[in-house]
Amino acid sequence: MKLLTPIIRIVDDDKTVSDSLSFFLNLAGLQTRSFSSAEDFLRSDDPERLGCLILDVRMEGMTGIELQAELKRVGSDLPIIFLSAHGDIEMAVSCVENGAFNFLVKPPDPDKLLDWVSKAVAKNKQVRREKAYAESLREQFETLTAAEKKVSYQIAKGLPNSRIAEILEISERTVQSHRANIFAKLDLENPVELNEFLREMQNS
């Protein structure tokens, strides 16, 4: 995770709107970057930077909703706040159901916009922290041998050495050796901690 100042991306083909939003958010101490189209955003944005996306629904070329679908396809974790002068309840519900953080009607109330932008950035930071933690667990897990990994999944189920040996068709002494290595390498003490380790590693 890039530990840099979050960027509020503004994607709107109306320069007046983009400039107005940027000016307001800059006054609030936030860093912004404006894009004149969805295509421009996809070409130029740095997805590694923390932040969120303020996105116009209706634009020439790729629409905001189409950009949302593309970002979802590539696994982007940037929270999206939709803005639209043409929005309706059905459109708002659809955007949120597809993962949008919120949907506001143009022109948005400044205080409400700032509140939602702050919440979106906080959400993105939380998601990035969780991903970084899960990645650190995966890297630690990769220090295990292939045989130790197999044994670890059985230990996490709370199975005794004798049962694990039977399932994996290895000796009980080998299981005991693997168990000791697993707990030492992962810095864990018991099957409950191992189960939690594996769950957190796999949940992101």
Side-chain angles (χ1 to χ4, degrees), residues 29-99:
L30 298 171
Q31 184 175 338
T32 63
R33 183 176 180 190
S34 296
F35 302 87
S36 60
S37 68
E39 292 85 353
D40 182 29
F41 170 81
L42 290 173
R43 281 193 302 268
S44 308
D45 184 55
D46 177 3
E48 295 299 316
R49 287 290 296 271
L50 287 165
C52 70
L53 174 60
I54 298 175
L55 180 58
D56 187 27
V57 171
R58 300 174 189 259
M59 296 182 290
E60 294 293 327
M62 179 183 285
T63 67
I65 293 175
E66 289 171 339
L67 176 56
Q68 179 191 27
E70 174 61 16
L71 292 176
K72 186 175 182 179
R73 185 188 70 79
V74 299
S76 171
D77 60 14
L78 282 177
I80 297 174
I81 298 172
F82 272 108
L83 293 182
S84 177
H86 314 282
D88 56 23
I89 297 299
E90 184 177 351
M91 182 183 292
V93 170
S94 176
C95 289
V96 173
E97 285 180 344
N98 284 316

Side-chain angles (χ1 to χ4, degrees), residues 50-176:
L50 287 165
C52 70
L53 174 60
I54 298 175
L55 180 58
D56 187 27
V57 171
R58 300 174 189 259
M59 296 182 290
E60 294 293 327
M62 179 183 285
T63 67
I65 293 175
E66 289 171 339
L67 176 56
Q68 179 191 27
E70 174 61 16
L71 292 176
K72 186 175 182 179
R73 185 188 70 79
V74 299
S76 171
D77 60 14
L78 282 177
I80 297 174
I81 298 172
F82 272 108
L83 293 182
S84 177
H86 314 282
D88 56 23
I89 297 299
E90 184 177 351
M91 182 183 292
V93 170
S94 176
C95 289
V96 173
E97 285 180 344
N98 284 316
F101 196 69
N102 201 2
F103 187 103
L104 302 175
V105 176
K106 288 181 178 179
D109 175 85
D111 291 335
K112 182 179 292 186
L113 175 62
L114 184 58
D115 180 52
W116 280 107
V117 165
S118 299
K119 290 177 179 177
V121 171
K123 175 65 175 178
N124 194 221
K125 286 182 178 179
Q126 176 189 350
V127 169
R128 296 286 176 97
R129 287 193 195 100
E130 291 172 354
K131 284 185 176 180
Y133 178 59
E135 181 59 31
S136 71
L137 295 184
R138 282 190 286 270
E139 290 177 358
Q140 194 173 2
F141 189 68
E142 287 304 313
T143 64
L144 302 183
T145 66
E148 288 167 353
K149 290 176 183 177
K150 289 181 180 179
V151 171
S152 72
Y153 289 115
Q154 303 304 320
I155 293 174
K157 296 176 183 177
L159 299 179
N161 291 344
S162 57
R163 178 59 180 149
I164 295 174
E166 181 181 344
I167 292 172
L168 298 181
E169 299 181 341
I170 56 179
S171 72
E172 191 169 341
R173 177 167 295 186
T174 298
V175 174
Q176 291 173 343

